[in-house]
Amino acid sequence: MPNLTMIEAVNLAMASEMRRDAEVVVLGEDIGRNGGVFRATLGLLDEFGPDRVIDTPLAETLVAAMAIGLSTQGIKAVAEIQFSGFLYPCVDQVVNHATRYRNRTRGRLTCPMVIRAPNSGGIHAPEHHSESLETTFAHMPGLRVVSPSSPTRAYGLLLAAIRDPDPVIFLEPTRLYRLFKQPVEDTGEALPLDTCFIDREGTDITLVSWGAMMHDTRLVADRLAEEGISAEVVDIATLKPLDMDTILESVAKTGRCVIVSESPRAGGWASEVAANLAEHGLLTLFAPVMRVAGYDTVMPLAKQERVYIPDVDRILREVRKVFDIAPK
């Protein structure tokens, strides 16, 4: 079983599904001979040819529109947008068309489309290349929003996203693309969508996160274990629809919760999770739910990213506040 980075796992999932299903095509800017800006589609053109690996002009609105048009006519389109900040031109097509076809046609047409994009910061890129847009798309009815946190989850969740009959926004954490490797076997077995994963079981506090911040959250759990604190780690993975039942069950067991997100704090998805905990899990909590998030500013350039993106120490400070209020 090969050890793969996340970007290699994404590539493997697309190649695997294109071999399994002749109706799957990929499209986007520079995805053919160049293999995409991060090389996610490297080698696909040689194997599947230009009819199924389609280089497009530098026009994100066109990429989204092509993917929607193909998908409503029986082709399963997997579109790449080079960076999450370039998704804004796609919003009109996605919101006004992709999300509405099933309802508009009373189920006669569906839109089995995936739009992939690198998401969040950590690679010292400009601000339009470093945004975290999961909440923007999770707010839109009719969309699934997925953000994997490891190579194995990227492989299994991307397979599931391509097979899903409705549109999926698949946000790949740029910082994790080549950060670490995991054994990934090309079994063709998809992971479930709309499900939170219990990444690590614990009894004293629940740490909730997704995407890139899962890496730091796992490190925090390791630090807490050294101090005799047992942290349960929940990987949301599919932000919309949100599997709140798994989070509520975890918090009912631990009584404490810290939610970790890289996106801006105001109106972020951490707020949605916290609101659900207040509404449905208040009586199980020993202390207020804490949020650790990015700041309500544009992602800063270069080395200042390390100030913006929550790190282990910043997460630990919020955890300590919880235990100051409700000691173990």
Side-chain angles (χ1 to χ4, degrees), residues 6-44:
M6 180 179 285
I7 198 69
E8 291 170 333
V10 166
N11 178 278
L12 181 64
M14 286 189 286
S16 177
E17 199 63 8
M18 292 177 79
R19 295 180 193 118
R20 191 190 71 86
D21 186 347
E23 299 301 320
V24 176
V25 304
V26 298
L27 65 150
E29 300 163 3
D30 298 324
I31 67 158
R33 188 61 57 197
N34 287 343
V37 67
F38 289 101
R39 306 299 182 258
T41 55
L42 196 64
L44 298 185

PDB file of all heavy atoms in Angstrom, residues 6-44:
ATOM      1  N   MET A   6      -1.678  14.223   0.368  1.00  0.00           N
ATOM      2  CA  MET A   6      -3.077  14.508   0.053  1.00  0.00           C
ATOM      3  C   MET A   6      -3.263  14.789  -1.435  1.00  0.00           C
ATOM      4  O   MET A   6      -4.237  14.315  -2.044  1.00  0.00           O
ATOM      5  CB  MET A   6      -3.595  15.682   0.877  1.00  0.00           C
ATOM      6  CG  MET A   6      -5.053  16.014   0.571  1.00  0.00           C
ATOM      7  SD  MET A   6      -5.739  17.375   1.525  1.00  0.00           S
ATOM      8  CE  MET A   6      -5.970  16.589   3.103  1.00  0.00           C
ATOM      9  N   ILE A   7      -2.352  15.539  -2.052  1.00  0.00           N
ATOM     10  CA  ILE A   7      -2.522  15.863  -3.468  1.00  0.00           C
ATOM     11  C   ILE A   7      -2.422  14.599  -4.309  1.00  0.00           C
ATOM     12  O   ILE A   7      -3.138  14.447  -5.317  1.00  0.00           O
ATOM     13  CB  ILE A   7      -1.497  16.935  -3.914  1.00  0.00           C
ATOM     14  CG1 ILE A   7      -1.947  17.598  -5.222  1.00  0.00           C
ATOM     15  CG2 ILE A   7      -0.108  16.377  -4.055  1.00  0.00           C
ATOM     16  CD1 ILE A   7      -3.159  18.471  -5.084  1.00  0.00           C
ATOM     17  N   GLU A   8      -1.579  13.661  -3.910  1.00  0.00           N
ATOM     18  CA  GLU A   8      -1.485  12.388  -4.625  1.00  0.00           C
ATOM     19  C   GLU A   8      -2.751  11.561  -4.425  1.00  0.00           C
ATOM     20  O   GLU A   8      -3.204  10.860  -5.345  1.00  0.00           O
ATOM     21  CB  GLU A   8      -0.261  11.612  -4.151  1.00  0.00           C
ATOM     22  CG  GLU A   8       1.059  12.243  -4.567  1.00  0.00           C
ATOM     23  CD  GLU A   8       2.258  11.613  -3.888  1.00  0.00           C
ATOM     24  OE1 GLU A   8       2.118  11.070  -2.764  1.00  0.00           O
ATOM     25  OE2 GLU A   8       3.370  11.667  -4.469  1.00  0.00           O
ATOM     26  N   ALA A   9      -3.343  11.638  -3.246  1.00  0.00           N
ATOM     27  CA  ALA A   9      -4.585  10.907  -2.978  1.00  0.00           C
ATOM     28  C   ALA A   9      -5.743  11.476  -3.800  1.00  0.00           C
ATOM     29  O   ALA A   9      -6.601  10.731  -4.286  1.00  0.00           O
ATOM     30  CB  ALA A   9      -4.907  10.964  -1.487  1.00  0.00           C
ATOM     31  N   VAL A  10      -5.782  12.791  -3.950  1.00  0.00           N
ATOM     32  CA  VAL A  10      -6.795  13.433  -4.794  1.00  0.00           C
ATOM     33  C   VAL A  10      -6.635  12.967  -6.234  1.00  0.00           C
ATOM     34  O   VAL A  10      -7.616  12.621  -6.919  1.00  0.00           O
ATOM     35  CB  VAL A  10      -6.672  14.970  -4.689  1.00  0.00           C
ATOM     36  CG1 VAL A  10      -7.465  15.668  -5.789  1.00  0.00           C
ATOM     37  CG2 VAL A  10      -7.144  15.444  -3.315  1.00  0.00           C
ATOM     38  N   ASN A  11      -5.415  12.954  -6.725  1.00  0.00           N
ATOM     39  CA  ASN A  11      -5.131  12.486  -8.080  1.00  0.00           C
ATOM     40  C   ASN A  11      -5.555  11.030  -8.258  1.00  0.00           C
ATOM     41  O   ASN A  11      -6.187  10.662  -9.260  1.00  0.00           O
ATOM     42  CB  ASN A  11      -3.639  12.646  -8.369  1.00  0.00           C
ATOM     43  CG  ASN A  11      -3.236  12.136  -9.745  1.00  0.00           C
ATOM     44  OD1 ASN A  11      -3.030  10.946  -9.941  1.00  0.00           O
ATOM     45  ND2 ASN A  11      -3.117  13.057 -10.693  1.00  0.00           N
ATOM     46  N   LEU A  12      -5.244  10.207  -7.257  1.00  0.00           N
ATOM     47  CA  LEU A  12      -5.598   8.790  -7.327  1.00  0.00           C
ATOM     48  C   LEU A  12      -7.101   8.598  -7.380  1.00  0.00           C
ATOM     49  O   LEU A  12      -7.612   7.762  -8.136  1.00  0.00           O
ATOM     50  CB  LEU A  12      -5.014   8.059  -6.109  1.00  0.00           C
ATOM     51  CG  LEU A  12      -5.280   6.548  -6.026  1.00  0.00           C
ATOM     52  CD1 LEU A  12      -4.616   5.819  -7.184  1.00  0.00           C
ATOM     53  CD2 LEU A  12      -4.779   5.994  -4.689  1.00  0.00           C
ATOM     54  N   ALA A  13      -7.839   9.374  -6.583  1.00  0.00           N
ATOM     55  CA  ALA A  13      -9.300   9.244  -6.567  1.00  0.00           C
ATOM     56  C   ALA A  13      -9.893   9.596  -7.922  1.00  0.00           C
ATOM     57  O   ALA A  13     -10.783   8.889  -8.426  1.00  0.00           O
ATOM     58  CB  ALA A  13      -9.890  10.133  -5.473  1.00  0.00           C
ATOM     59  N   MET A  14      -9.423  10.683  -8.523  1.00  0.00           N
ATOM     60  CA  MET A  14      -9.958  11.062  -9.837  1.00  0.00           C
ATOM     61  C   MET A  14      -9.631  10.013 -10.889  1.00  0.00           C
ATOM     62  O   MET A  14     -10.507   9.620 -11.674  1.00  0.00           O
ATOM     63  CB  MET A  14      -9.407  12.433 -10.243  1.00  0.00           C
ATOM     64  CG  MET A  14     -10.031  13.583  -9.484  1.00  0.00           C
ATOM     65  SD  MET A  14      -9.585  15.216 -10.128  1.00  0.00           S
ATOM     66  CE  MET A  14      -7.879  15.342  -9.559  1.00  0.00           C
ATOM     67  N   ALA A  15      -8.399   9.535 -10.904  1.00  0.00           N
ATOM     68  CA  ALA A  15      -8.022   8.513 -11.885  1.00  0.00           C
ATOM     69  C   ALA A  15      -8.827   7.233 -11.675  1.00  0.00           C
ATOM     70  O   ALA A  15      -9.306   6.615 -12.636  1.00  0.00           O
ATOM     71  CB  ALA A  15      -6.525   8.222 -11.776  1.00  0.00           C
ATOM     72  N   SER A  16      -8.992   6.834 -10.425  1.00  0.00           N
ATOM     73  CA  SER A  16      -9.740   5.612 -10.114  1.00  0.00           C
ATOM     74  C   SER A  16     -11.178   5.707 -10.606  1.00  0.00           C
ATOM     75  O   SER A  16     -11.711   4.779 -11.224  1.00  0.00           O
ATOM     76  CB  SER A  16      -9.707   5.359  -8.606  1.00  0.00           C
ATOM     77  OG  SER A  16     -10.463   4.224  -8.260  1.00  0.00           O
ATOM     78  N   GLU A  17     -11.816   6.857 -10.344  1.00  0.00           N
ATOM     79  CA  GLU A  17     -13.219   7.001 -10.733  1.00  0.00           C
ATOM     80  C   GLU A  17     -13.370   7.178 -12.241  1.00  0.00           C
ATOM     81  O   GLU A  17     -14.363   6.730 -12.825  1.00  0.00           O
ATOM     82  CB  GLU A  17     -13.833   8.179  -9.978  1.00  0.00           C
ATOM     83  CG  GLU A  17     -15.340   8.164  -9.930  1.00  0.00           C
ATOM     84  CD  GLU A  17     -15.934   6.971  -9.204  1.00  0.00           C
ATOM     85  OE1 GLU A  17     -15.179   6.192  -8.584  1.00  0.00           O
ATOM     86  OE2 GLU A  17     -17.168   6.822  -9.270  1.00  0.00           O
ATOM     87  N   MET A  18     -12.386   7.774 -12.893  1.00  0.00           N
ATOM     88  CA  MET A  18     -12.446   7.893 -14.350  1.00  0.00           C
ATOM     89  C   MET A  18     -12.295   6.542 -15.023  1.00  0.00           C
ATOM     90  O   MET A  18     -12.890   6.284 -16.077  1.00  0.00           O
ATOM     91  CB  MET A  18     -11.364   8.864 -14.845  1.00  0.00           C
ATOM     92  CG  MET A  18     -11.633  10.307 -14.431  1.00  0.00           C
ATOM     93  SD  MET A  18     -10.318  11.460 -14.924  1.00  0.00           S
ATOM     94  CE  MET A  18     -10.720  11.707 -16.650  1.00  0.00           C
ATOM     95  N   ARG A  19     -11.523   5.646 -14.412  1.00  0.00           N
ATOM     96  CA  ARG A  19     -11.426   4.282 -14.944  1.00  0.00           C
ATOM     97  C   ARG A  19     -12.720   3.514 -14.722  1.00  0.00           C
ATOM     98  O   ARG A  19     -13.142   2.712 -15.564  1.00  0.00           O
ATOM     99  CB  ARG A  19     -10.263   3.536 -14.281  1.00  0.00           C
ATOM    100  CG  ARG A  19      -8.895   4.110 -14.596  1.00  0.00           C
ATOM    101  CD  ARG A  19      -7.778   3.333 -13.929  1.00  0.00           C
ATOM    102  NE  ARG A  19      -6.522   4.077 -13.983  1.00  0.00           N
ATOM    103  CZ  ARG A  19      -5.850   4.500 -12.913  1.00  0.00           C
ATOM    104  NH1 ARG A  19      -6.303   4.214 -11.688  1.00  0.00           N
ATOM    105  NH2 ARG A  19      -4.746   5.186 -13.054  1.00  0.00           N
ATOM    106  N   ARG A  20     -13.352   3.744 -13.604  1.00  0.00           N
ATOM    107  CA  ARG A  20     -14.571   2.998 -13.248  1.00  0.00           C
ATOM    108  C   ARG A  20     -15.781   3.485 -14.022  1.00  0.00           C
ATOM    109  O   ARG A  20     -16.660   2.698 -14.381  1.00  0.00           O
ATOM    110  CB  ARG A  20     -14.835   3.143 -11.753  1.00  0.00           C
ATOM    111  CG  ARG A  20     -15.894   2.222 -11.190  1.00  0.00           C
ATOM    112  CD  ARG A  20     -16.277   2.599  -9.767  1.00  0.00           C
ATOM    113  NE  ARG A  20     -17.045   3.848  -9.732  1.00  0.00           N
ATOM    114  CZ  ARG A  20     -18.370   3.904  -9.897  1.00  0.00           C
ATOM    115  NH1 ARG A  20     -19.067   2.819 -10.112  1.00  0.00           N
ATOM    116  NH2 ARG A  20     -18.985   5.067  -9.842  1.00  0.00           N
ATOM    117  N   ASP A  21     -15.831   4.788 -14.286  1.00  0.00           N
ATOM    118  CA  ASP A  21     -17.018   5.397 -14.875  1.00  0.00           C
ATOM    119  C   ASP A  21     -16.598   6.274 -16.045  1.00  0.00           C
ATOM    120  O   ASP A  21     -15.979   7.326 -15.868  1.00  0.00           O
ATOM    121  CB  ASP A  21     -17.744   6.234 -13.815  1.00  0.00           C
ATOM    122  CG  ASP A  21     -19.072   6.784 -14.296  1.00  0.00           C
ATOM    123  OD1 ASP A  21     -19.342   6.740 -15.512  1.00  0.00           O
ATOM    124  OD2 ASP A  21     -19.865   7.258 -13.448  1.00  0.00           O
ATOM    125  N   ALA A  22     -16.961   5.856 -17.258  1.00  0.00           N
ATOM    126  CA  ALA A  22     -16.559   6.576 -18.470  1.00  0.00           C
ATOM    127  C   ALA A  22     -17.241   7.920 -18.606  1.00  0.00           C
ATOM    128  O   ALA A  22     -16.863   8.726 -19.478  1.00  0.00           O
ATOM    129  CB  ALA A  22     -16.862   5.720 -19.698  1.00  0.00           C
ATOM    130  N   GLU A  23     -18.248   8.202 -17.778  1.00  0.00           N
ATOM    131  CA  GLU A  23     -18.960   9.481 -17.840  1.00  0.00           C
ATOM    132  C   GLU A  23     -18.285  10.571 -17.008  1.00  0.00           C
ATOM    133  O   GLU A  23     -18.737  11.718 -17.013  1.00  0.00           O
ATOM    134  CB  GLU A  23     -20.409   9.305 -17.365  1.00  0.00           C
ATOM    135  CG  GLU A  23     -21.218   8.331 -18.207  1.00  0.00           C
ATOM    136  CD  GLU A  23     -21.290   8.748 -19.669  1.00  0.00           C
ATOM    137  OE1 GLU A  23     -21.440   9.954 -19.933  1.00  0.00           O
ATOM    138  OE2 GLU A  23     -21.168   7.876 -20.537  1.00  0.00           O
ATOM    139  N   VAL A  24     -17.223  10.237 -16.287  1.00  0.00           N
ATOM    140  CA  VAL A  24     -16.528  11.227 -15.469  1.00  0.00           C
ATOM    141  C   VAL A  24     -15.513  11.977 -16.332  1.00  0.00           C
ATOM    142  O   VAL A  24     -14.686  11.361 -17.014  1.00  0.00           O
ATOM    143  CB  VAL A  24     -15.820  10.574 -14.265  1.00  0.00           C
ATOM    144  CG1 VAL A  24     -15.021  11.617 -13.476  1.00  0.00           C
ATOM    145  CG2 VAL A  24     -16.834   9.883 -13.354  1.00  0.00           C
ATOM    146  N   VAL A  25     -15.578  13.317 -16.299  1.00  0.00           N
ATOM    147  CA  VAL A  25     -14.592  14.147 -16.975  1.00  0.00           C
ATOM    148  C   VAL A  25     -14.054  15.162 -15.970  1.00  0.00           C
ATOM    149  O   VAL A  25     -14.721  15.489 -14.982  1.00  0.00           O
ATOM    150  CB  VAL A  25     -15.179  14.877 -18.202  1.00  0.00           C
ATOM    151  CG1 VAL A  25     -15.784  13.893 -19.178  1.00  0.00           C
ATOM    152  CG2 VAL A  25     -16.207  15.931 -17.777  1.00  0.00           C
ATOM    153  N   VAL A  26     -12.850  15.656 -16.214  1.00  0.00           N
ATOM    154  CA  VAL A  26     -12.293  16.727 -15.395  1.00  0.00           C
ATOM    155  C   VAL A  26     -12.021  17.919 -16.294  1.00  0.00           C
ATOM    156  O   VAL A  26     -11.713  17.770 -17.481  1.00  0.00           O
ATOM    157  CB  VAL A  26     -11.005  16.289 -14.657  1.00  0.00           C
ATOM    158  CG1 VAL A  26     -11.302  15.146 -13.705  1.00  0.00           C
ATOM    159  CG2 VAL A  26      -9.917  15.887 -15.634  1.00  0.00           C
ATOM    160  N   LEU A  27     -12.162  19.113 -15.739  1.00  0.00           N
ATOM    161  CA  LEU A  27     -11.938  20.316 -16.517  1.00  0.00           C
ATOM    162  C   LEU A  27     -11.434  21.432 -15.619  1.00  0.00           C
ATOM    163  O   LEU A  27     -11.652  21.412 -14.405  1.00  0.00           O
ATOM    164  CB  LEU A  27     -13.215  20.762 -17.237  1.00  0.00           C
ATOM    165  CG  LEU A  27     -14.401  21.200 -16.375  1.00  0.00           C
ATOM    166  CD1 LEU A  27     -15.238  22.245 -17.099  1.00  0.00           C
ATOM    167  CD2 LEU A  27     -15.299  19.996 -16.061  1.00  0.00           C
ATOM    168  N   GLY A  28     -10.743  22.384 -16.236  1.00  0.00           N
ATOM    169  CA  GLY A  28     -10.211  23.506 -15.478  1.00  0.00           C
ATOM    170  C   GLY A  28      -9.032  24.134 -16.194  1.00  0.00           C
ATOM    171  O   GLY A  28      -8.627  23.697 -17.275  1.00  0.00           O
ATOM    172  N   GLU A  29      -8.469  25.141 -15.574  1.00  0.00           N
ATOM    173  CA  GLU A  29      -7.382  25.908 -16.159  1.00  0.00           C
ATOM    174  C   GLU A  29      -6.042  25.202 -15.933  1.00  0.00           C
ATOM    175  O   GLU A  29      -5.674  24.898 -14.798  1.00  0.00           O
ATOM    176  CB  GLU A  29      -7.356  27.304 -15.530  1.00  0.00           C
ATOM    177  CG  GLU A  29      -8.645  28.069 -15.742  1.00  0.00           C
ATOM    178  CD  GLU A  29      -8.808  29.262 -14.817  1.00  0.00           C
ATOM    179  OE1 GLU A  29      -7.881  29.536 -14.025  1.00  0.00           O
ATOM    180  OE2 GLU A  29      -9.862  29.920 -14.884  1.00  0.00           O
ATOM    181  N   ASP A  30      -5.346  24.913 -17.028  1.00  0.00           N
ATOM    182  CA  ASP A  30      -4.001  24.306 -16.977  1.00  0.00           C
ATOM    183  C   ASP A  30      -3.999  22.907 -16.371  1.00  0.00           C
ATOM    184  O   ASP A  30      -2.974  22.453 -15.854  1.00  0.00           O
ATOM    185  CB  ASP A  30      -3.033  25.196 -16.185  1.00  0.00           C
ATOM    186  CG  ASP A  30      -2.836  26.551 -16.825  1.00  0.00           C
ATOM    187  OD1 ASP A  30      -2.821  26.621 -18.067  1.00  0.00           O
ATOM    188  OD2 ASP A  30      -2.697  27.548 -16.095  1.00  0.00           O
ATOM    189  N   ILE A  31      -5.121  22.197 -16.433  1.00  0.00           N
ATOM    190  CA  ILE A  31      -5.154  20.869 -15.799  1.00  0.00           C
ATOM    191  C   ILE A  31      -4.653  19.756 -16.708  1.00  0.00           C
ATOM    192  O   ILE A  31      -4.448  18.632 -16.249  1.00  0.00           O
ATOM    193  CB  ILE A  31      -6.578  20.503 -15.325  1.00  0.00           C
ATOM    194  CG1 ILE A  31      -7.506  20.317 -16.523  1.00  0.00           C
ATOM    195  CG2 ILE A  31      -7.114  21.542 -14.358  1.00  0.00           C
ATOM    196  CD1 ILE A  31      -8.715  19.485 -16.211  1.00  0.00           C
ATOM    197  N   GLY A  32      -4.442  20.051 -17.977  1.00  0.00           N
ATOM    198  CA  GLY A  32      -4.048  19.016 -18.921  1.00  0.00           C
ATOM    199  C   GLY A  32      -2.571  18.697 -18.833  1.00  0.00           C
ATOM    200  O   GLY A  32      -2.106  18.011 -17.927  1.00  0.00           O
ATOM    201  N   ARG A  33      -1.787  19.214 -19.760  1.00  0.00           N
ATOM    202  CA  ARG A  33      -0.358  18.899 -19.789  1.00  0.00           C
ATOM    203  C   ARG A  33       0.339  19.363 -18.524  1.00  0.00           C
ATOM    204  O   ARG A  33       1.251  18.709 -18.015  1.00  0.00           O
ATOM    205  CB  ARG A  33       0.275  19.560 -21.022  1.00  0.00           C
ATOM    206  CG  ARG A  33       1.706  19.158 -21.276  1.00  0.00           C
ATOM    207  CD  ARG A  33       1.846  17.660 -21.526  1.00  0.00           C
ATOM    208  NE  ARG A  33       1.024  17.212 -22.645  1.00  0.00           N
ATOM    209  CZ  ARG A  33       0.698  15.943 -22.878  1.00  0.00           C
ATOM    210  NH1 ARG A  33       1.086  15.003 -22.014  1.00  0.00           N
ATOM    211  NH2 ARG A  33      -0.047  15.608 -23.914  1.00  0.00           N
ATOM    212  N   ASN A  34      -0.063  20.487 -17.964  1.00  0.00           N
ATOM    213  CA  ASN A  34       0.581  21.013 -16.753  1.00  0.00           C
ATOM    214  C   ASN A  34       0.174  20.268 -15.493  1.00  0.00           C
ATOM    215  O   ASN A  34       0.862  20.347 -14.473  1.00  0.00           O
ATOM    216  CB  ASN A  34       0.257  22.497 -16.581  1.00  0.00           C
ATOM    217  CG  ASN A  34       0.991  23.370 -17.583  1.00  0.00           C
ATOM    218  OD1 ASN A  34       1.962  22.927 -18.199  1.00  0.00           O
ATOM    219  ND2 ASN A  34       0.529  24.589 -17.763  1.00  0.00           N
ATOM    220  N   GLY A  35      -0.970  19.608 -15.509  1.00  0.00           N
ATOM    221  CA  GLY A  35      -1.422  18.866 -14.334  1.00  0.00           C
ATOM    222  C   GLY A  35      -1.999  19.734 -13.242  1.00  0.00           C
ATOM    223  O   GLY A  35      -2.115  19.291 -12.092  1.00  0.00           O
ATOM    224  N   GLY A  36      -2.367  20.974 -13.587  1.00  0.00           N
ATOM    225  CA  GLY A  36      -2.941  21.873 -12.587  1.00  0.00           C
ATOM    226  C   GLY A  36      -1.871  22.589 -11.794  1.00  0.00           C
ATOM    227  O   GLY A  36      -0.708  22.187 -11.758  1.00  0.00           O
ATOM    228  N   VAL A  37      -2.272  23.664 -11.115  1.00  0.00           N
ATOM    229  CA  VAL A  37      -1.296  24.492 -10.408  1.00  0.00           C
ATOM    230  C   VAL A  37      -0.604  23.713  -9.289  1.00  0.00           C
ATOM    231  O   VAL A  37       0.568  23.950  -8.980  1.00  0.00           O
ATOM    232  CB  VAL A  37      -1.973  25.776  -9.878  1.00  0.00           C
ATOM    233  CG1 VAL A  37      -2.983  25.473  -8.794  1.00  0.00           C
ATOM    234  CG2 VAL A  37      -0.935  26.778  -9.396  1.00  0.00           C
ATOM    235  N   PHE A  38      -1.295  22.761  -8.654  1.00  0.00           N
ATOM    236  CA  PHE A  38      -0.687  21.935  -7.613  1.00  0.00           C
ATOM    237  C   PHE A  38      -0.397  20.513  -8.091  1.00  0.00           C
ATOM    238  O   PHE A  38      -0.057  19.650  -7.292  1.00  0.00           O
ATOM    239  CB  PHE A  38      -1.588  21.902  -6.377  1.00  0.00           C
ATOM    240  CG  PHE A  38      -1.615  23.203  -5.619  1.00  0.00           C
ATOM    241  CD1 PHE A  38      -2.679  24.073  -5.761  1.00  0.00           C
ATOM    242  CD2 PHE A  38      -0.565  23.568  -4.791  1.00  0.00           C
ATOM    243  CE1 PHE A  38      -2.712  25.285  -5.071  1.00  0.00           C
ATOM    244  CE2 PHE A  38      -0.583  24.770  -4.104  1.00  0.00           C
ATOM    245  CZ  PHE A  38      -1.654  25.627  -4.249  1.00  0.00           C
ATOM    246  N   ARG A  39      -0.617  20.255  -9.376  1.00  0.00           N
ATOM    247  CA  ARG A  39      -0.364  18.954 -10.008  1.00  0.00           C
ATOM    248  C   ARG A  39      -1.361  17.879  -9.554  1.00  0.00           C
ATOM    249  O   ARG A  39      -1.040  16.686  -9.548  1.00  0.00           O
ATOM    250  CB  ARG A  39       1.081  18.479  -9.757  1.00  0.00           C
ATOM    251  CG  ARG A  39       2.155  19.487 -10.154  1.00  0.00           C
ATOM    252  CD  ARG A  39       2.092  19.809 -11.653  1.00  0.00           C
ATOM    253  NE  ARG A  39       3.144  20.749 -12.052  1.00  0.00           N
ATOM    254  CZ  ARG A  39       2.941  22.043 -12.275  1.00  0.00           C
ATOM    255  NH1 ARG A  39       1.733  22.577 -12.125  1.00  0.00           N
ATOM    256  NH2 ARG A  39       3.933  22.828 -12.645  1.00  0.00           N
ATOM    257  N   ALA A  40      -2.578  18.297  -9.243  1.00  0.00           N
ATOM    258  CA  ALA A  40      -3.604  17.333  -8.830  1.00  0.00           C
ATOM    259  C   ALA A  40      -4.062  16.458  -9.983  1.00  0.00           C
ATOM    260  O   ALA A  40      -4.528  15.329  -9.767  1.00  0.00           O
ATOM    261  CB  ALA A  40      -4.812  18.061  -8.233  1.00  0.00           C
ATOM    262  N   THR A  41      -3.946  16.948 -11.216  1.00  0.00           N
ATOM    263  CA  THR A  41      -4.420  16.179 -12.372  1.00  0.00           C
ATOM    264  C   THR A  41      -3.271  15.623 -13.204  1.00  0.00           C
ATOM    265  O   THR A  41      -3.472  15.205 -14.346  1.00  0.00           O
ATOM    266  CB  THR A  41      -5.322  17.059 -13.257  1.00  0.00           C
ATOM    267  OG1 THR A  41      -4.597  18.246 -13.624  1.00  0.00           O
ATOM    268  CG2 THR A  41      -6.593  17.448 -12.515  1.00  0.00           C
ATOM    269  N   LEU A  42      -2.083  15.591 -12.629  1.00  0.00           N
ATOM    270  CA  LEU A  42      -0.900  15.139 -13.362  1.00  0.00           C
ATOM    271  C   LEU A  42      -1.099  13.710 -13.879  1.00  0.00           C
ATOM    272  O   LEU A  42      -1.498  12.814 -13.142  1.00  0.00           O
ATOM    273  CB  LEU A  42       0.321  15.188 -12.443  1.00  0.00           C
ATOM    274  CG  LEU A  42       1.693  15.107 -13.111  1.00  0.00           C
ATOM    275  CD1 LEU A  42       1.924  16.319 -14.011  1.00  0.00           C
ATOM    276  CD2 LEU A  42       2.784  15.017 -12.055  1.00  0.00           C
ATOM    277  N   GLY A  43      -0.839  13.517 -15.162  1.00  0.00           N
ATOM    278  CA  GLY A  43      -0.921  12.181 -15.758  1.00  0.00           C
ATOM    279  C   GLY A  43      -2.288  11.803 -16.290  1.00  0.00           C
ATOM    280  O   GLY A  43      -2.403  10.820 -17.038  1.00  0.00           O
ATOM    281  N   LEU A  44      -3.323  12.561 -15.939  1.00  0.00           N
ATOM    282  CA  LEU A  44      -4.670  12.179 -16.384  1.00  0.00           C
ATOM    283  C   LEU A  44      -4.843  12.382 -17.890  1.00  0.00           C
ATOM    284  O   LEU A  44      -5.524  11.589 -18.555  1.00  0.00           O
ATOM    285  CB  LEU A  44      -5.719  12.982 -15.624  1.00  0.00           C
ATOM    286  CG  LEU A  44      -5.772  12.782 -14.105  1.00  0.00           C
ATOM    287  CD1 LEU A  44      -6.949  13.559 -13.518  1.00  0.00           C
ATOM    288  CD2 LEU A  44      -5.862  11.313 -13.738  1.00  0.00           C
TER     289      LEU A  44
END
